[in-house]
Amino acid sequence: MAYIVTENCIKCKYTDCVEVCPVDCFYEGENFLVINPDECIDCGVCQPECPAEAIFPDSEAVTADWVEPNRKFSKEWPNITKKIDKLADADAWKGKPGKKAQLSPNPAKR
């Protein structure tokens, strides 16, 4: 089992979860974070740290459409290991449904 980042993270990208991950399995896109499910050790410390409530165990139905994007993008995007500033309009996007079409496939630019 692994933890998976879901739609709630899109256009928010809070990174509180990244800072607590003991195995550095988060990867950063332009407007979304993912967890590499093959690296995740299922410790669960990231889930309660997510202000957007976007992280769930892969056994939960809410992750069904998100396991593959997490796996795919974690191989394409850069690893992130430290907390950074959230996106400028994150609070406005937090909790909004239907953000899947807003997901950028582009890696983070640093």
Side-chain angles (χ1 to χ4, degrees), residues 9-54:
C9 182
I10 298 171
K11 296 194 70 85
C12 292
K13 204 167 84 170
Y14 297 98
T15 56
D16 305 66
C17 53
V18 169
E19 197 159 75
V20 298
C21 180
V23 293
D24 298 334
C25 64
F26 280 88
Y27 293 81
E28 183 186 12
E30 187 173 44
N31 69 354
F32 187 59
L33 297 172
V34 295
I35 293 172
N36 183 321
D38 299 323
E39 295 174 356
C40 178
I41 61 170
D42 189 32
C43 68
V45 296
C46 58
Q47 188 177 26
E49 297 301 319
C50 179
E53 298 179 356

